[in-house]
Amino acid sequence: MMPQPALSCATTSTSSNTVTRSFTAPAEPAALVDMVQIVPRLLCAETMADLLCTSRQLRCLVHEATNSIAIDGKGLQTQCQVGEFVQALINGCWPCLQILKIRYWVKANQDGQLNLSGYNQIFSCFGVDAMSQLVAGKWSALKHLDVSDNKLDSAAIACLVQADWPLETLHLSNNVLDLEAMEHLVQGSWPRLKQLTLRYCRLNVQTVAILAQVQWPLQQLDLSHNRLDANAMTHLAQGNWPDLEKLSLAHNDLAPEAITRLFQADWPHLVALDITEGHPHSLGIVGLCEAHWPKLTCTRLQFRGFGGHRLLRMQEGIHDRSLFGR
């Protein structure tokens, strides 16, 4: 029997003494289940009436105070089940909701696990129909959205950008962001978006060229585990993100020319750069000494074969490119 997706809610009171409550239960079409449905025959009618009233008040309190909902949809098998659950989520109102995570809504195997090695064959339960329902949520306080690992396609992304949420953080890792999907994504009206995560999205030079045109005030951008090369770096370096502080390009096809082009970017507030697992024997890493990133203090250079003597040379500012030759 497939495991049921889990629903977790964290609620915080608005009084001077902050109190945090947590609620975790198997996901049902109704987000919260009345406790009076569990033991109806053990209590007298008067006690049942009091308990029912208390339960309804508690439910109202939880809905009004909840600021974070995380849903793990592993094991949910049908789009009908997904639709019912999303509709129940929307009906809950959640006026204080700030963080929403809906992940792993894809068909799992008999053990409830995802076989990402065969990702092309995985059937997504969280498709355009579910997304069109989700964006109807009137969550005026929603700032952080994570819909990673759902295999969202261009149609679902087209629905997502219609949401009227003041997003500051958006995680879309492990979805299918092809050219059409990226064209939809950049239409998102998110003037406060500061963090964008697009790991394992099969990004390439065409999709990065479109992404580089957005005017979101990005501070953190994660493009790791994609298919980015030197041409993609040419477009990325043109991104008008003056407030960018953290950039991850780990596990991409970053040859020396790609690194050289990246260093042409004008990101004066860049603090951290991750270019793990590029081409260690021919990486033009000495260009870091010439990049226009005066605040750069953290650079992750986890390469096989990147000896300590090369790091010392780079630290001394000696631009002997033969040290980084093949």
Side-chain angles (χ1 to χ4, degrees), residues 183-233:
E183 289 175 344
H184 289 309
L185 180 62
V186 297
Q187 299 301 317
S189 179
W190 300 311
R192 302 177 183 177
L193 191 66
K194 299 178 182 179
Q195 181 178 357
L196 180 63
T197 304
L198 302 176
R199 305 179 66 186
Y200 293 103
C201 288
R202 306 182 186 181
L203 302 182
N204 53 33
V205 59
Q206 290 85 5
T207 49
V208 169
I210 296 175
L211 177 63
Q213 300 174 14
V214 300
Q215 299 298 314
W216 301 325
L218 294 178
Q219 295 180 2
Q220 298 183 42
L221 180 60
D222 189 345
L223 304 179
S224 57
H225 297 274
N226 281 291
R227 302 171 177 176
L228 307 185
D229 55 13
N231 292 328
M233 291 302 99

Side-chain angles (χ1 to χ4, degrees), residues 14 218 288:
T14 57
L218 294 178
L288 271 175

Side-chain angles (χ1 to χ4, degrees), residues 254-271:
L254 301 182
E257 182 63 24
I259 299 298
T260 301
R261 297 183 187 184
L262 176 66
F263 291 158
Q264 303 305 311
D266 185 16
W267 299 321
H269 295 285
L270 190 68
V271 175

